Amino acid sequence: MSVQRQVALESFEDTQKGRYLTFVIEDEGYGLEIQYVTEIIGIQKITEVPDLPVFLKGIINLRGKIIPVMDVRLRFSKPPMAYHDRTCIIVVDVGGISLGLIVDTVSEVLDIEEKYIVPPPVTLMGSSNQYLKNIGIIGNEVKLLLDCNKLLQEDELNQLTQLR
């Protein structure tokens, strides 16, 4: 890699540091590092695929590219909810695979300074919270910051690789 390209890449990574796309699931605020997000789209027709875990709703055709979609509510063991006009799909790149994350609503992109990002308490780190990377503190609000790389387990990732 050329020195100029390396500097440009580092510069881009610096501008993304501390930036989170925030969204809501059942009145709880969550955030994803913006570097993983490729786009946000409205809910659209999902083609169901047999033998996928219940939280993987199927696939969508996004401009000729097949993308698996995950209902984040179901992944987090929350009750299902009918999709509506504010329901969005956040397309992220996880391990080289594009994945759509269905969320109740997208909020905003926030800059969260490092001093306001703390690790979750040890008591919260049970198996159901394996997706939690950190906690962001914004005034009186708390945002649960997710680890995109842990949203799918290795066997689930392998299963999705076969759908491409």
mmCIF file of all heavy atoms in Angstrom, residues 5 9 33 40 53 60 62 64 71 94 102 105 108 114 122 131 143 155:
data_model
loop_
_atom_site.group_PDB
_atom_site.id
_atom_site.type_symbol
_atom_site.label_atom_id
_atom_site.label_comp_id
_atom_site.label_asym_id
_atom_site.label_seq_id
_atom_site.Cartn_x
_atom_site.Cartn_y
_atom_site.Cartn_z
ATOM 1 N N ARG A 5 -1.901 6.422 0.302
ATOM 2 C CA ARG A 5 -3.137 5.652 0.552
ATOM 3 C C ARG A 5 -3.251 5.311 2.034
ATOM 4 O O ARG A 5 -4.329 5.387 2.608
ATOM 5 C CB ARG A 5 -3.138 4.391 -0.305
ATOM 6 C CG ARG A 5 -4.400 3.591 -0.170
ATOM 7 C CD ARG A 5 -4.477 2.562 -1.279
ATOM 8 N NE ARG A 5 -5.438 1.531 -1.006
ATOM 9 C CZ ARG A 5 -6.739 1.622 -1.207
ATOM 10 N NH1 ARG A 5 -7.232 2.730 -1.712
ATOM 11 N NH2 ARG A 5 -7.544 0.624 -0.935
ATOM 12 N N LEU A 9 -6.240 6.455 4.483
ATOM 13 C CA LEU A 9 -7.008 5.457 5.222
ATOM 14 C C LEU A 9 -7.025 5.785 6.714
ATOM 15 O O LEU A 9 -8.070 5.757 7.360
ATOM 16 C CB LEU A 9 -6.429 4.054 4.990
ATOM 17 C CG LEU A 9 -7.163 2.896 5.623
ATOM 18 C CD1 LEU A 9 -8.595 2.828 5.098
ATOM 19 C CD2 LEU A 9 -6.454 1.591 5.333
ATOM 20 N N GLU A 33 -20.879 1.370 15.789
ATOM 21 C CA GLU A 33 -19.799 2.193 15.259
ATOM 22 C C GLU A 33 -20.086 2.472 13.794
ATOM 23 O O GLU A 33 -20.372 1.561 13.016
ATOM 24 C CB GLU A 33 -18.463 1.472 15.407
ATOM 25 C CG GLU A 33 -18.007 1.356 16.843
ATOM 26 C CD GLU A 33 -16.734 0.544 16.968
ATOM 27 O OE1 GLU A 33 -15.653 1.117 16.746
ATOM 28 O OE2 GLU A 33 -16.852 -0.654 17.278
ATOM 29 N N ILE A 40 -28.616 2.946 5.185
ATOM 30 C CA ILE A 40 -29.870 2.742 5.909
ATOM 31 C C ILE A 40 -30.977 2.781 4.869
ATOM 32 O O ILE A 40 -31.040 3.704 4.058
ATOM 33 C CB ILE A 40 -30.107 3.860 6.949
ATOM 34 C CG1 ILE A 40 -28.941 3.929 7.932
ATOM 35 C CG2 ILE A 40 -31.419 3.648 7.678
ATOM 36 C CD1 ILE A 40 -28.912 5.198 8.754
ATOM 37 N N PRO A 53 -32.120 -19.572 11.654
ATOM 38 C CA PRO A 53 -32.592 -19.249 13.004
ATOM 39 C C PRO A 53 -33.722 -18.212 12.918
ATOM 40 O O PRO A 53 -33.771 -17.415 11.979
ATOM 41 C CB PRO A 53 -31.352 -18.659 13.680
ATOM 42 C CG PRO A 53 -30.192 -19.151 12.881
ATOM 43 C CD PRO A 53 -30.692 -19.328 11.486
ATOM 44 N N ILE A 60 -32.980 -9.975 1.274
ATOM 45 C CA ILE A 60 -33.546 -8.933 0.430
ATOM 46 C C ILE A 60 -32.645 -8.775 -0.789
ATOM 47 O O ILE A 60 -31.462 -9.145 -0.755
ATOM 48 C CB ILE A 60 -33.686 -7.578 1.167
ATOM 49 C CG1 ILE A 60 -32.331 -7.070 1.670
ATOM 50 C CG2 ILE A 60 -34.699 -7.683 2.297
ATOM 51 C CD1 ILE A 60 -32.350 -5.654 2.227
ATOM 52 N N LEU A 62 -31.028 -6.020 -2.774
ATOM 53 C CA LEU A 62 -30.701 -4.597 -2.715
ATOM 54 C C LEU A 62 -29.862 -4.238 -3.931
ATOM 55 O O LEU A 62 -28.660 -4.537 -3.981
ATOM 56 C CB LEU A 62 -29.947 -4.280 -1.416
ATOM 57 C CG LEU A 62 -29.625 -2.814 -1.166
ATOM 58 C CD1 LEU A 62 -30.907 -1.979 -1.071
ATOM 59 C CD2 LEU A 62 -28.811 -2.653 0.115
ATOM 60 N N GLY A 64 -29.651 -5.638 -6.786
ATOM 61 C CA GLY A 64 -29.008 -6.801 -7.385
ATOM 62 C C GLY A 64 -28.093 -7.571 -6.456
ATOM 63 O O GLY A 64 -27.544 -8.597 -6.831
ATOM 64 N N ASP A 71 -33.600 -9.614 12.377
ATOM 65 C CA ASP A 71 -34.462 -8.798 13.214
ATOM 66 C C ASP A 71 -33.769 -8.675 14.569
ATOM 67 O O ASP A 71 -33.670 -9.648 15.317
ATOM 68 C CB ASP A 71 -35.841 -9.441 13.349
ATOM 69 C CG ASP A 71 -36.841 -8.520 14.012
ATOM 70 O OD1 ASP A 71 -36.468 -7.826 14.988
ATOM 71 O OD2 ASP A 71 -38.008 -8.499 13.565
ATOM 72 N N VAL A 94 -20.134 -7.037 8.205
ATOM 73 C CA VAL A 94 -19.636 -7.834 9.326
ATOM 74 C C VAL A 94 -18.805 -8.972 8.760
ATOM 75 O O VAL A 94 -19.334 -9.826 8.053
ATOM 76 C CB VAL A 94 -20.805 -8.411 10.170
ATOM 77 C CG1 VAL A 94 -20.276 -9.234 11.323
ATOM 78 C CG2 VAL A 94 -21.710 -7.312 10.670
ATOM 79 N N ILE A 102 -32.669 -5.196 11.113
ATOM 80 C CA ILE A 102 -33.979 -4.568 11.213
ATOM 81 C C ILE A 102 -34.120 -3.986 12.616
ATOM 82 O O ILE A 102 -33.979 -4.700 13.612
ATOM 83 C CB ILE A 102 -35.103 -5.591 10.952
ATOM 84 C CG1 ILE A 102 -34.940 -6.221 9.570
ATOM 85 C CG2 ILE A 102 -36.471 -4.923 11.091
ATOM 86 C CD1 ILE A 102 -35.856 -7.407 9.317
ATOM 87 N N THR A 105 -36.497 1.914 14.889
ATOM 88 C CA THR A 105 -36.317 3.224 14.267
ATOM 89 C C THR A 105 -34.863 3.672 14.428
ATOM 90 O O THR A 105 -34.219 3.344 15.427
ATOM 91 C CB THR A 105 -37.277 4.276 14.884
ATOM 92 O OG1 THR A 105 -37.144 5.499 14.182
ATOM 93 C CG2 THR A 105 -37.005 4.511 16.335
ATOM 94 N N GLU A 108 -30.055 8.885 15.258
ATOM 95 C CA GLU A 108 -29.121 9.874 14.725
ATOM 96 C C GLU A 108 -27.695 9.341 14.798
ATOM 97 O O GLU A 108 -27.443 8.301 15.391
ATOM 98 C CB GLU A 108 -29.231 11.170 15.537
ATOM 99 C CG GLU A 108 -28.860 10.989 17.006
ATOM 100 C CD GLU A 108 -29.085 12.232 17.846
ATOM 101 O OE1 GLU A 108 -28.779 13.338 17.364
ATOM 102 O OE2 GLU A 108 -29.547 12.087 18.987
ATOM 103 N N GLU A 114 -14.419 9.577 23.977
ATOM 104 C CA GLU A 114 -13.896 8.375 24.628
ATOM 105 C C GLU A 114 -14.103 8.394 26.141
ATOM 106 O O GLU A 114 -14.391 7.362 26.745
ATOM 107 C CB GLU A 114 -12.398 8.218 24.296
ATOM 108 C CG GLU A 114 -11.956 6.799 24.287
ATOM 109 C CD GLU A 114 -10.553 6.640 23.709
ATOM 110 O OE1 GLU A 114 -10.269 7.164 22.631
ATOM 111 O OE2 GLU A 114 -9.748 5.966 24.383
ATOM 112 N N VAL A 122 -19.564 -5.995 34.917
ATOM 113 C CA VAL A 122 -19.349 -7.434 34.789
ATOM 114 C C VAL A 122 -20.666 -8.191 34.941
ATOM 115 O O VAL A 122 -20.910 -9.177 34.267
ATOM 116 C CB VAL A 122 -18.305 -7.928 35.821
ATOM 117 C CG1 VAL A 122 -18.167 -9.429 35.786
ATOM 118 C CG2 VAL A 122 -16.970 -7.260 35.559
ATOM 119 N N TYR A 131 -23.408 -9.297 22.945
ATOM 120 C CA TYR A 131 -23.338 -8.358 21.821
ATOM 121 C C TYR A 131 -22.919 -6.966 22.275
ATOM 122 O O TYR A 131 -22.635 -6.114 21.457
ATOM 123 C CB TYR A 131 -24.701 -8.271 21.133
ATOM 124 C CG TYR A 131 -25.373 -9.608 20.992
ATOM 125 C CD1 TYR A 131 -26.505 -9.935 21.718
ATOM 126 C CD2 TYR A 131 -24.839 -10.587 20.148
ATOM 127 C CE1 TYR A 131 -27.110 -11.175 21.609
ATOM 128 C CE2 TYR A 131 -25.434 -11.831 20.035
ATOM 129 C CZ TYR A 131 -26.569 -12.117 20.770
ATOM 130 O OH TYR A 131 -27.154 -13.350 20.662
ATOM 131 N N LYS A 143 -26.558 4.812 26.038
ATOM 132 C CA LYS A 143 -26.690 4.063 24.788
ATOM 133 C C LYS A 143 -25.878 2.785 24.930
ATOM 134 O O LYS A 143 -24.710 2.815 25.353
ATOM 135 C CB LYS A 143 -26.145 4.858 23.590
ATOM 136 C CG LYS A 143 -26.836 6.178 23.349
ATOM 137 C CD LYS A 143 -28.229 6.008 22.829
ATOM 138 C CE LYS A 143 -28.843 7.369 22.539
ATOM 139 N NZ LYS A 143 -30.249 7.335 22.323
ATOM 140 N N ASP A 155 -20.940 -20.208 13.317
ATOM 141 C CA ASP A 155 -21.773 -21.107 12.518
ATOM 142 C C ASP A 155 -22.878 -20.347 11.782
ATOM 143 O O ASP A 155 -23.219 -20.669 10.647
ATOM 144 C CB ASP A 155 -22.357 -22.239 13.372
ATOM 145 C CG ASP A 155 -23.239 -21.736 14.500
ATOM 146 O OD1 ASP A 155 -22.954 -20.653 15.055
ATOM 147 O OD2 ASP A 155 -24.227 -22.424 14.817
#
